[in-house]
Amino acid sequence: MAYISEVNTSFSHDLDDEYGKLFRRLNPPRVAIDNEAYKNATVIRADSANKHGILLEVVQVLTDLNLTITKAYISSDGGWFMDVFYVTDQDGNKVTDEGILDYIQKSLGPDACFSSRMRSVGVIPSLDHTAIELTGSDRPGLLSEVCAVLMNLKCNVVSAEVWTHNARAAAVMHVTDEETGCAVTDPERLSRIKELLCNLLKGSNKSSAAKTVVSHGITHTERRLHQMMFADRDYERADDDASDEKQRPNVNVVNWYDKGYSVVTIRSKDRPKLLFDTVCTLTDMQYVVFHANIDAEGPEAYQEYYIRHVDGCPVKSDAERERVIQCLEAAIERRVSEGLKLELCTTDRVGLLSDVTRIFRENSLTVTRAEVTTKAGQAVNTFYVRDASGYPIDSKTIDSIRQAIGKAILKVKGNPEDLKPVPQGSATKFLFGGLFKSRSFANFGLVRSYS
């Protein structure tokens, strides 16, 4: 009888899945783009059959186009998903580029309903590069040492994104073989990369949590970073955390018992990709957004979500409520750009990232966040740096670094004199960048493989 019950359950699940596919096929997504309805933004209306994660897919498409979502209204009761987004380009203007508008139509409209394009985290085979994921405790000089290890292993970093938060660090790096310019495929070499990086991440504390993954797949980097830091529990604050609570996002969770929702409200300073970060976290925590109201037309952003867990229940306990609050705070803080912004643009070459981060380290700068890209042979990199001592960066230090790297290559965004000191004891005092000048690489590493 137990066997029959299992078969019936499996059959019922398959039937529901097939019914869902049929419903979506008969009710394909619809997208309407209107540049006349609102004076300050382009209005995008997206309707489709509802499924878990559909809101994140739509927000991800818009965010990846570097569009700013100034307002949004979301509703997904009754099995149907209806969104209205008010968006602008990076300059605050309506979106008029026909290429971008056409891409939105193709990505969110009927043509995308059964396409194989990747809109969520997944792995797609790539022969162009090898992906390396790193998570572990942050410490001075870590990014510089990682880059040096990869250079010694004849690996060229073609793109990377590095986040640090609450004394934890995560990075997704795409590397190629120095000689072939293609993905690293030799199993022994991949194993060596993983071993060295994993040891390096652990450092002298062999009991510390560290992880390295090497793969030949493609994932959505920013969502993957959120998942990695969430899995690394960066949302847990130390008892002696000296960060100012007044600077944290204002996140509240209450239950609306009459309707069976938990209502999440968030007030924080607005910044690019804020909506993506919060929706990503709610989705990965297995919560479904039924309704939402987003207002980010001023310097402060207000977000209001009506959610239930995928099991159909609102937040059930104070412990769960506190976890939701902590995770949303962390999601917002991870991408906060603390420090002086430096932009580097030059012809790409093997070892460039290693040389640049070494110079930062030798000048006692820590990197709080980094974005590394290579476009048509040009390296286009952005670094957010702080002085390792926690004081404002001295202008002479910046001049020295620009002299070493090249003043025409490294540009400064912002005024070093305006930087405020990092509070003593803050978890951001020593971050991914560099302070120690050790050339020892014996303590590194993590790599993940997909097969």
Side-chain angles (χ1 to χ4, degrees):
M1 291 296 293
Y3 173 75
I4 293 175
S5 176
E6 290 176 5
V7 171
N8 288 338
T9 300
S10 177
F11 176 77
S12 176
H13 176 77
D14 292 342
L15 187 62
D16 290 342
D17 187 53
E18 289 302 317
Y19 175 78
K21 291 180 181 178
L22 177 62
F23 183 79
R24 287 189 291 271
R25 189 180 297 275
L26 295 175
N27 299 274
R30 298 191 299 266
V31 178
I33 301 176
D34 190 342
N35 262 322
E36 303 298 330
Y38 196 70
K39 63 178 181 179
N40 296 325
T42 298
V43 180
I44 300 174
R45 296 179 176 86
D47 300 342
S48 71
N50 194 21
K51 66 174 182 177
H52 180 55
I54 184 68
L55 174 60
L56 177 58
E57 290 185 4
V58 175
V59 171
Q60 184 171 299
V61 167
L62 300 177
T63 301
D64 287 348
L65 291 169
N66 291 318
L67 300 180
T68 299
I69 300 173
T70 59
K71 289 199 301 183
Y73 304 101
I74 291 111
S75 180
S76 62
D77 266 345
W80 195 253
F81 173 79
M82 295 176 289
D83 285 358
V84 180
F85 297 94
Y86 295 73
V87 303
T88 64
D89 62 20
Q90 290 180 297
D91 297 321
N93 301 316
K94 291 184 178 183
V95 183
T96 57
D97 187 299
E98 290 297 330
I100 293 178
L101 297 177
D102 184 60
Y103 180 83
I104 293 172
Q105 283 281 4
K106 291 180 177 178
S107 297
L108 303 179
D111 293 342
C113 188
F114 304 104
S115 71
S116 60
R117 71 180 181 85
M118 184 195 64
R119 292 184 296 180
S120 58
V121 168
V123 179
I124 298 175
S126 172
L127 298 177
D128 297 332
H129 63 256
T130 299
I132 300 176
E133 297 179 358
L134 308 170
T135 54
S137 298
D138 194 17
R139 69 172 188 272
L142 184 55
L143 178 58
S144 176
E145 291 183 29
V146 169
C147 295
V149 166
L150 291 172
M151 186 181 70
N152 282 3
L153 292 169
K154 308 295 183 182
C155 294
N156 184 39
V157 180
V158 294
S159 67
E161 189 145 357
V162 179
W163 290 359
T164 61
H165 176 249
N166 200 18
R168 306 301 296 172
V172 175
M173 312 180 84
H174 294 160
V175 304
T176 59
D177 180 84
E178 179 181 315
E179 296 182 357
T180 66
C182 299
V184 180
T185 57
D186 179 66
E188 290 187 7
R189 188 176 175 192
L190 291 173
S191 178
R192 179 63 174 162
I193 293 171
K194 183 173 182 177
E195 178 185 3
L196 289 177
L197 292 179
C198 198
N199 289 336
L200 179 58
L201 288 177
K202 290 181 179 178
S204 59
N205 184 6
K206 297 302 179 182
S207 63
S208 66
K211 185 178 182 181
T212 302
V213 176
V214 175
S215 76
H216 297 112
I218 302 172
T219 65
H220 187 274
T221 300
E222 293 170 335
R223 187 178 178 192
R224 186 68 191 129
L225 283 166
H226 275 302
Q227 291 178 328
M228 291 162 61
M229 300 205 85
F230 174 73
D232 201 35
R233 306 176 75 88
D234 74 311
Y235 53 85
E236 295 181 343
R237 299 184 185 275
D239 293 337
D240 59 350
D241 186 356
S243 60
D244 189 353
E245 291 189 14
K246 294 182 179 179
Q247 296 181 1
R248 295 180 189 172
N250 185 341
V251 183
N252 193 27
V253 180
V254 297
N255 279 356
W256 187 7
Y257 292 103
D258 290 346
K259 299 295 184 180
Y261 294 125
S262 290
V263 183
V264 179
T265 56
I266 303 172
R267 294 183 185 275
S268 66
K269 182 179 179 181
D270 191 30
R271 62 162 175 77
K273 302 187 178 183
L274 178 64
L275 180 60
F276 171 82
D277 293 338
T278 54
V279 171
C280 179
T281 298
L282 289 171
T283 302
D284 287 337
M285 293 182 73
Q286 299 298 301
Y287 289 101
V288 179
V289 176
F290 287 87
H291 304 279
N293 176 34
I294 310 299
D295 187 350
E297 289 192 297
E300 182 182 76
Y302 175 77
Q303 303 180 26
E304 183 178 271
Y305 300 99
Y306 295 77
I307 66 170
R308 296 183 188 131
H309 194 266
V310 290
D311 63 8
C313 298
V315 172
K316 300 176 184 177
S317 66
D318 289 341
E320 182 182 357
R321 173 182 173 275
E322 185 62 25
R323 186 167 181 262
V324 171
I325 291 173
Q326 288 179 341
C327 290
L328 287 171
E329 287 178 347
I332 294 169
E333 293 171 348
R334 286 171 194 145
R335 210 197 290 260
V336 171
S337 303
E338 295 182 343
L340 180 68
K341 183 178 181 180
L342 302 176
E343 292 183 351
L344 181 145
C345 183
T346 186
T347 302
D348 190 35
R349 61 174 174 80
V350 175
L352 174 64
L353 187 59
S354 177
D355 290 343
V356 170
T357 54
R358 173 181 53 80
I359 291 171
F360 289 163
R361 182 189 66 199
E362 291 173 350
N363 284 274
S364 298
L365 293 189
T366 67
V367 179
T368 63
R369 191 159 69 87
E371 299 174 15
V372 177
T373 59
T374 304
K375 301 177 181 177
Q378 287 289 111
V380 182
N381 303 341
T382 301
F383 304 94
Y384 293 88
V385 300
R386 278 191 179 277
D387 184 89
S389 63
Y391 294 100
I393 298 176
D394 191 285
S395 59
K396 293 181 180 179
T397 299
I398 296 299
D399 289 341
S400 175
I401 291 172
R402 294 188 66 205
Q403 188 70 36
I405 295 176
K407 291 190 175 182
I409 293 173
L410 187 68
K411 303 292 186 180
V412 180
K413 302 294 181 180
N415 185 355
E417 301 299 330
D418 292 338
L419 290 179
K420 297 179 181 180
V422 179
Q424 296 298 316
S426 169
T428 60
K429 182 179 178 182
F430 297 115
L431 292 172
F432 219 124
L435 175 61
F436 300 153
K437 299 181 181 180
S438 170
R439 299 290 295 183
S440 172
F441 308 125
N443 298 325
F444 221 98
L446 269 185
V447 183
R448 178 177 75 193
S449 296
Y450 295 103
S451 57

